[in-house]
Amino acid sequence: MAPRQRVNLAQFRQQVRNSLQQSPFWTDAELNANINESLRTWNCLTGVWKQRVTLRTRQYLPYYSLAGSLVFGMRVEFGSNNSLAQASLTNWDKEFPQWEGRPSASGPEDWAPVGINIIAIRPTDAIGGRTLVVDGVSATPTLAVDGDFIDIGQEDFNALLDYNQYLNAFKEGGAEFESSLEFHRSFLKAAANKNEKLMTSNIFRRAMGIDTDQAGMRPRRTPATLQPVGER
């Protein structure tokens, strides 16, 4: 693992300026806004900022709100190291009608994301007062003043600098913006290396320039493979 470094907003902004051809073209406020935008995008794609919260089950309650600092859950345990399988409300509604009203004394078997900071468990806990441990992605840190900082590895920081070049080039437009698209692709590639699940998303693959239009399509039959009517 690459060593992590502490970078404050002033240092981050200066590195961004050093990468831009016409540095005075951007104000500090613009650069700061794009820096924070890059941090939010990076966290959304990679979940690099994580947190663990502990909840107590309530009798017969299927839905639980996560702490405000937790953006969404990724893994849920019930009791002592009993990892719950991830499912979806749609599957539950199809496979377990009225699942919300079917509690179990042994507690839940699986969980499902409901919203950004809400999860559900199935079956509900018939006893209550037991432990749910949720590992998830925490809210992205915001760098508001020059002394605010993040701890980050060099490879991740390089990816953020690439994305900032792309974001700032939007103000220039034209050929400068077109040439910045390579920085955008580099940023997405670094995110995919950090989070391999991204490569299973068709939306992400299209953003990366990977052609998925033919994926899953039936191959076209050529005249050589066609058979005369009535023959097998």
Side-chain angles (χ1 to χ4, degrees), residues 35-150:
I35 286 171
N36 283 295
E37 173 66 18
S38 69
L39 294 177
R40 287 189 292 267
T41 305
W42 184 248
N43 197 31
C44 179
L45 293 175
T46 66
V48 67
W49 283 284
K50 298 179 176 64
Q51 186 178 357
R52 169 172 286 193
V53 298
T54 300
L55 309 173
R56 289 288 179 182
T57 60
R58 293 177 58 184
Q59 192 177 35
Y60 310 140
L61 182 68
Y63 301 104
Y64 293 84
S65 296
L66 305 178
S69 58
L70 201 64
V71 178
F72 58 88
M74 298 174 62
R75 184 174 182 271
V76 179
E77 291 182 358
F78 174 70
S80 179
N81 298 321
N82 180 22
S83 182
L84 304 183
Q86 183 173 344
S88 70
L89 295 183
T90 300
N91 287 341
W92 287 352
D93 290 340
K94 291 179 179 178
E95 298 178 23
F96 309 100
Q98 300 179 338
W99 61 269
E100 294 159 302
R102 296 183 176 181
S104 170
S106 60
E109 299 174 0
D110 42 21
W111 73 281
V114 178
I116 292 180
N117 59 352
I118 300 176
I119 64 170
I121 58 173
R122 186 210 65 85
T124 58
D125 187 4
I127 299 175
R130 294 186 281 190
T131 302
L132 284 174
V133 178
V134 183
D135 290 310
V137 177
S138 62
T140 306
T142 299
L143 304 183
V145 297
D146 284 354
D148 289 347
F149 64 88
I150 56 172

Side-chain angles (χ1 to χ4, degrees), residues 9-17 28 31-32 35 146:
L9 177 58
Q11 294 167 330
F12 201 149
R13 187 176 59 245
Q14 186 57 51
Q15 294 237 32
V16 172
R17 283 200 182 279
D28 283 357
L31 296 181
N32 291 348
I35 286 171
D146 284 354

Side-chain angles (χ1 to χ4, degrees), residues 195-206:
N195 181 6
E196 61 183 14
K197 290 184 179 180
L198 286 175
M199 293 304 293
T200 65
S201 166
N202 285 341
I203 294 176
F204 182 83
R205 290 171 64 85
R206 283 195 292 270

